Amino acid sequence: MASTPPTTAIPPRTWTRADSEFFISNDPSLLSVKAVNEAFGREFLYWGKPFPEEVMHQILHGSMSFGVYRQTQPKPEDGPFSPTAESTEQIGLARMVTDGSTFGYLSDVYVLPEYQGHGLGKWLMNCVVEVFSKENMPYLRRIMLLTGDKRVQDFYSKIFGMKVIGHEQRPDIGQDLVFMCARPNAPE
Ligand SMILES: CC(C)(COP(=O)(O)OP(=O)(O)OC[C@H]1O[C@@H](n2cnc3c(N)ncnc32)[C@H](O)[C@@H]1OP(=O)(O)O)[C@@H](O)C(=O)NCCC(=O)NCCS
């Protein structure tokens, strides 16, 4: 399936750590529709369900999507690190629905359960925060999200400075969701 350009003029980036088989990237060419659909079919992702492939492709490429990846082939000893979809496995996602300048809605954040609790989620959020920083997006007005998990709520407050601004009862998924919002460029 052909890749569509990202929704922002900010060029894609890849974040690596020495001696780690994991990396994070918002390069759209690395995204795996199959891996994300498989994750959406699992129980831990309580809000999701798989989509037809072309719909999932549109969802991922119509947003600024940050993937968490595991290298399945060794990194080159020297020379630049240029991962491809063939040499990686996608194990996490954070998707920012954004105009690339003023607004972002953060959605579908996950790390597969077998890789949770090792700092990958925090790293993923720090990469998102870096892209949606004052320096990169001086006109950014608001970032929003919805979540149902108290632990995750604390996690977003700490990393993004998110505040709870409202609630939504969702008996269909057995959750009381909270709306959270951050205004990173608001005057102190
Ligand atoms: C939330 C999530 C992305 C964090 O990823 P992770 O790699 O496990 O996170 P880290 O190891 O970097 O830990 C960061 C924080 O995540 C939270 N966290 C860690 N494991 C978690 C778990 N299993 N469930 C919920 N929150 C968890 C903790 O608050 C932790 O902060 P702490 O170390 O200060 O306590 C991951 O747990 C996940 O995919 N959960 C299920 C899906 C989900 O609820 N997504 C958010 C929807 S809004």
Side-chain angles (χ1 to χ4, degrees):
M1 226 177 292
S3 264
T4 47
T7 56
T8 171
I10 297 171
R13 278 201 52 190
T14 293
W15 293 261
T16 58
R17 280 178 174 170
D19 301 325
S20 174
E21 61 183 317
F22 302 103
F23 68 93
I24 291 170
S25 180
N26 61 357
D27 179 346
S29 73
L30 296 174
L31 291 164
S32 169
V33 166
K34 186 167 174 285
V36 177
N37 254 339
E38 275 172 17
F40 272 49
R42 291 177 63 174
E43 210 166 314
F44 83 98
L45 234 152
Y46 61 87
W47 66 90
K49 56 175 180 17
F51 287 97
E53 276 202 6
E54 64 280 12
V55 176
M56 182 57 89
H57 183 273
Q58 175 57 35
I59 290 170
L60 292 176
H61 290 264
S63 315
M64 194 197 291
S65 295
F66 294 72
V68 184
Y69 301 92
R70 191 176 74 82
Q71 250 326 91
T72 53
Q73 286 162 28
K75 283 186 199 166
E77 299 261 312
D78 45 14
F81 175 54
S82 12
T84 61
E86 290 68 40
S87 64
T88 56
E89 177 196 0
Q90 186 167 356
I91 59 146
L93 175 71
R95 190 167 75 79
M96 194 68 102
V97 185
T98 180
D99 59 11
S101 294
T102 65
F103 181 75
Y105 177 79
L106 184 64
S107 191
D108 298 332
V109 176
Y110 74 83
V111 169
L112 292 181
E114 47 277 38
Y115 299 102
Q116 288 176 12
H118 299 289
L120 290 172
K122 226 176 264 180
W123 187 19
L124 173 62
M125 279 308 107
N126 280 321
C127 297
V128 176
V129 169
E130 192 178 316
V131 172
F132 285 77
S133 64
K134 277 186 188 178
E135 291 68 33
N136 276 327
M137 289 198 191
Y139 302 103
L140 187 64
R141 293 190 201 125
R142 204 177 280 273
I143 297 172
M144 291 181 73
L145 61 86
L146 262 171
T147 184
D149 188 315
K150 177 75 177 80
R151 247 182 108 191
V152 174
Q153 204 177 305
D154 294 342
F155 167 69
Y156 288 127
S157 304
K158 268 190 249 163
I159 290 186
F160 256 119
M162 289 270 182
K163 293 198 174 86
V164 174
I165 55 161
H167 292 260
E168 184 188 54
Q169 299 282 351
R170 287 288 302 275
D172 55 323
I173 53 170
Q175 299 269 349
D176 177 17
L177 301 181
V178 296
F179 270 107
M180 300 187 80
C181 174
R183 297 172 58 218
N185 288 342
E188 303 285 314

